[in-house]
């Protein structure tokens, strides 16, 4: 082996723990980022599907007879004017 290869091997051997730790952190960070991106995509897809489902549902219209309330309010207004 040439002297350069020997020096490189010794340097790598001396820094092996730091190199392994750096690679481990990089792998964990990559996995975490991938999980966050996957959750974001699944959440966005779920929200889009739910939103389109809610839009496709027919709107229910409710009609209410408010004549009794209007008569009551008119009676109150008539009493305060006198």
């Amino acid at each position: 082996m040439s002297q350069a290869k020997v020096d490189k091997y010794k340097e790598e051997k001396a820094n092996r723990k730091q190199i392994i730790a750096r690679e481990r952190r990089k792998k964990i960070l990559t996995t975490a980022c991938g999980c966050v991106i996957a959750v974001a995509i699944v959440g966005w897809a779920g929200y889009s599907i739910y939103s389109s489902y809610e839009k496709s549902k027919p709107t229910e219209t409710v009609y209410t007879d408010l004549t009794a309330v209007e008569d009551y309010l008119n009676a109150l207004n008539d009493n305060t004017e006198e």
Side-chain angles (χ1 to χ4, degrees):
M1 291 176 77
S2 68
Q3 187 62 38
K5 286 183 181 180
V6 171
D7 291 340
K8 184 179 178 185
Y9 176 77
K10 285 182 180 180
E11 183 180 331
E12 286 178 2
K13 186 175 179 183
N15 296 327
R16 190 169 289 155
K17 287 183 182 179
Q18 289 105 358
I19 292 170
I20 291 172
R22 187 181 314 126
E23 288 174 359
R24 188 175 298 138
R25 282 192 306 265
K26 196 175 189 181
K27 184 177 180 181
I28 290 171
L29 183 62
T30 303
T31 304
C33 288
C35 289
V36 168
I37 290 170
V39 167
I41 290 171
V42 169
W44 173 74
Y47 177 77
S48 296
I49 291 169
Y50 178 75
S51 177
S52 66
Y53 171 74
E54 286 295 320
K55 285 181 182 178
S56 69
K57 286 173 59 175
T59 306
E60 184 178 334
T61 306
V62 178
Y63 296 101
T64 307
D65 183 21
L66 297 175
T67 55
V69 175
E70 290 174 1
D71 291 342
Y72 175 72
L73 291 174
N74 286 335
L76 288 178
N77 285 337
D78 289 341
N79 288 338
T80 57
E81 291 176 359
E82 294 177 359

